[in-house]
Amino acid sequence: MIISKSDLLHFFENVKTDFDIFIPYASELDEDNLSYKKFSDNKEFIINKYRTIDPIKTLFYLPIESVLPASAKKMKRIIVGVKNCDLLALEVLDSALLEDNFVEPNYKIWRDNTYIISSDCTDALSSCHCVLLDYPPYPEKSEDGTCIYDLNLSPVNDNFLITIGSKKGDELLELIKKYCSVRDASYEEKNKIEAQHAEIRKKLSDINSDYSPDRKYDVISDNKDEATWKELSAECVECGGCTNICPTCYCIILNDESENGNFKKIRTWDSCQLSGYARVAGGDSPRPKLWERFRHRYQTKFIRINNSFSKLGCTGCGRCISTCPAGIDLREVIQSLQEV
Ligand code: SF4
Ligand code: SF4
């Protein structure tokens, strides 16, 4: 189905009181920096060409939330312009936070009440490297036809091709049709989208041409050499930025608080890169040395999460690379380990 950009905008304007709508907007200081904000008809509506600065978890697993009582709002939401690296991250979070024997209450409320409209990447940042992990820069359904997005938008000329990903997507499209006209995609439009997919994949391969796509992650667990990890982590200043910005990191700390005499359990993001992480009574820590914490992050991303959920804990979004004040590039760390 094809919808025009102006019709899609018209739809958002008409339903903005029924839904909280989040759309990536460019920062006023730097138009290349995009972040999710509430939909506003006063701002220019764009469908983002690449990922936002903020990971999708900021809208589903907030930096600080009360889990008892659960503080998530049940207002219906639509999040627009979610990229494949963030959809893949939501798959990891779903595996960790919606398991049968452990359901995180806020995460479930946010997930159940949100429609996700994803979109293809049409450009890339220098840190983007999904293709090195064999992930495409646009969403694809799995072999059994399931996927995380409800609707996906592929830009074509001044229009979008809408692909339905779920039952919720069917419902949302029916609602869109009440306000706008949609039509079948032409053969030329479908061909153009395929050509755009090939083009963006090539761009990402070119950006990452210094790195081997043949990634042997066993090197991360096999390499126990203290000197290697010390050298790789030498510039790390333990800020925790790489874990906070990562769309798949979900470690937290829980605190008991009281408000007006009422008990509250507050959940706050934590970081395995900080020296106080997992410290126990008496001050003991499982990983007291910086290089051990640094290695732990790589082992978790590429080995442990994969062992638990059969998917990598890295989606190639590149946010940790853009964020690190020490200039540590995850691609270079893995490449160095492969070359040791
Ligand atoms: S480890 Fe880095 S590149 Fe991988 S998903 Fe996390 S922030 Fe993105
Ligand atoms: S962002 Fe860089 S400096 Fe900060 S903890 Fe992560 S690796 Fe270390």
Side-chain angles (χ1 to χ4, degrees):
M1 289 285 164
I2 293 280
I3 188 169
S4 72
K5 184 178 162 181
S6 54
D7 269 358
L8 190 62
L9 182 58
H10 176 69
F11 168 69
F12 293 141
E13 280 165 352
N14 275 284
V15 298
K16 68 183 179 198
T17 50
D18 303 325
F19 295 88
D20 271 349
I21 304 172
F22 290 88
I23 291 194
Y25 286 110
S27 140
E28 281 165 17
L29 297 174
D30 182 350
E31 63 175 24
D32 289 341
N33 285 344
L34 306 165
S35 62
Y36 290 106
K37 295 207 171 57
K38 271 264 193 81
F39 171 72
S40 151
D41 17 308
N42 299 325
K43 289 194 175 155
E44 201 210 345
F45 167 67
I46 53 155
I47 287 289
N48 44 323
K49 44 197 176 179
Y50 41 65
R51 63 152 174 87
T52 49
I53 294 186
D54 35 348
I56 195 71
K57 74 177 178 186
T58 56
L59 293 170
F60 289 96
Y61 195 59
L62 279 51
I64 179 160
E65 280 184 298
S66 168
V67 284
L68 193 70
S71 59
K73 293 193 196 116
K74 292 193 174 143
M75 174 84 182
K76 293 271 177 211
R77 307 188 300 174
I78 302 174
I79 304 179
V80 190
V82 181
K83 298 304 186 193
N84 197 37
C85 52
D86 273 341
L87 294 176
L88 294 162
L90 275 183
E91 283 184 7
V92 174
L93 297 184
D94 283 358
S95 300
L97 305 173
L98 296 178
E99 284 203 345
D100 291 346
N101 57 359
F102 173 76
V103 175
E104 210 288 337
N106 288 311
Y107 184 78
K108 178 157 174 45
I109 294 170
W110 292 125
R111 284 288 278 126
D112 287 349
N113 289 286
T114 304
Y115 293 88
I116 296 177
I117 304 184
S118 55
S119 63
D120 299 353
C121 287
T122 50
D123 202 350
L125 296 160
S126 59
S127 60
C128 294
H129 61 280
C130 53
V131 291
L132 287 180
L133 301 142
D134 216 13
Y135 292 135
Y138 42 83
E140 277 180 339
K141 290 186 182 172
S142 63
E143 278 172 13
D144 62 5
T146 55
C147 59
I148 292 273
Y149 67 83
D150 298 310
L151 294 177
N152 182 65
L153 302 174
S154 302
V156 54
N157 307 324
D158 261 346
N159 303 319
F160 297 108
L161 171 82
I162 301 180
T163 308
I164 301 168
S166 70
K167 254 183 143 175
K168 275 165 82 182
D170 265 326
E171 285 167 24
L172 192 57
L173 186 55
E174 286 311 308
L175 187 61
I176 291 173
K177 285 181 187 167
K178 284 190 186 164
Y179 296 93
C180 323
S181 56
V182 294
R183 61 168 173 83
D184 287 338
S186 67
Y187 179 72
E188 287 74 26
E189 285 168 323
K190 287 182 186 164
N191 272 352
K192 186 162 184 190
I193 290 166
E194 266 185 38
Q196 285 171 189
H197 283 176
E199 206 175 302
I200 183 64
R201 284 187 85 112
K202 172 153 189 339
K203 176 155 194 172
L204 276 151
S205 299
D206 290 347
I207 288 173
N208 289 286
S209 58
D210 287 346
Y211 308 103
S212 162
D214 183 17
R215 320 218 103 196
K216 298 178 187 73
Y217 298 114
D218 287 351
V219 292
I220 299 170
S221 55
D222 291 350
N223 195 317
K224 308 264 186 316
D225 179 38
E226 182 176 331
T228 304
W229 286 101
K230 269 188 171 164
E231 194 183 323
L232 291 170
S233 61
E235 302 298 322
C236 175
V237 295
E238 297 188 63
C239 65
C242 51
T243 53
N244 281 347
I245 204 74
C246 179
T248 69
C249 278
Y250 54 88
C251 282
I252 44 126
I253 188 157
L254 289 169
N255 288 304
D256 293 346
E257 290 182 11
S258 111
E259 193 180 81
N260 303 326
N262 295 318
F263 175 78
K264 267 185 157 186
K265 197 168 267 296
I266 305 294
R267 188 201 70 206
T268 315
W269 289 353
D270 201 353
S271 171
C272 61
Q273 300 305 284
L274 305 180
S275 59
Y277 178 82
R279 190 166 52 207
V280 293
D284 218 356
S285 160
R287 288 173 289 278
K289 301 200 174 102
L290 187 151
W291 68 267
E292 293 171 316
R293 296 193 288 281
F294 185 90
R295 182 180 66 179
H296 172 77
R297 176 170 161 254
Y298 284 83
Q299 291 180 337
T300 300
K301 294 274 151 221
F302 295 97
I303 311 291
R304 292 192 193 99
I305 288 183
N306 201 14
N307 289 345
S308 301
F309 308 137
S310 305
K311 42 186 88 88
L312 293 175
C314 176
T315 67
C317 75
R319 289 185 177 99
C320 56
I321 300 167
S322 313
T323 295
C324 181
I328 296 171
D329 188 322
L330 168 137
R331 295 168 295 192
E332 284 168 16
V333 171
I334 294 170
Q335 189 87 352
S336 308
L337 288 165
Q338 284 176 339
E339 287 165 5
V340 168

